[in-house]
Amino acid sequence: MFGKTVLVTGANSGIDFIAARELAAMGASVVMVCRDPDRGARARSEVSQAAIGAAPELLLADMSSQSSVRGLAEQLHQRFTTTDHSE
């Protein structure tokens, strides 16, 4: 997974947290999207401990808000040239 950038929404808990942690443990550059800054920071810290590549990045967005989603899209567009996905 080295060289891959993956975006995980809802990454502070549940299956999405596990996915973020496991992808980081495989060497992917993980971009974690969370709604709550405190819970996101705690999850990022835990995922960082498992990461064998770059430390995960944390972006904040409320996926139930269109304006927040648009803001997230703009941040992603400005910061990353590509993200990787499975087909």
Side-chain angles (χ1 to χ4, degrees):
M1 294 292 300
F2 285 100
K4 301 286 186 180
T5 301
V6 295
L7 176 74
V8 181
T9 60
N12 64 291
S13 65
I15 191 78
D16 299 315
F17 169 77
I18 293 167
R21 186 184 65 205
E22 295 304 310
L23 288 163
M26 291 188 286
S29 296
V30 176
V31 180
M32 301 172 65
V33 179
C34 300
R35 179 179 51 209
D36 182 273
D38 293 332
R39 290 176 64 192
R42 283 192 299 273
R44 181 186 179 277
S45 178
E46 288 185 48
V47 172
S48 291
Q49 292 175 18
I52 61 171
E57 295 192 43
L58 175 63
L59 298 178
L60 300 175
D62 180 350
M63 301 306 279
S64 69
S65 162
Q66 285 295 310
S67 64
S68 185
V69 171
R70 286 187 193 100
L72 172 64
E74 183 60 32
Q75 286 183 61
L76 292 169
H77 180 72
Q78 289 176 1
R79 295 175 68 178
F80 303 98
T81 56
T82 63
T83 55
D84 297 287
H85 65 282
S86 62
E87 296 183 25

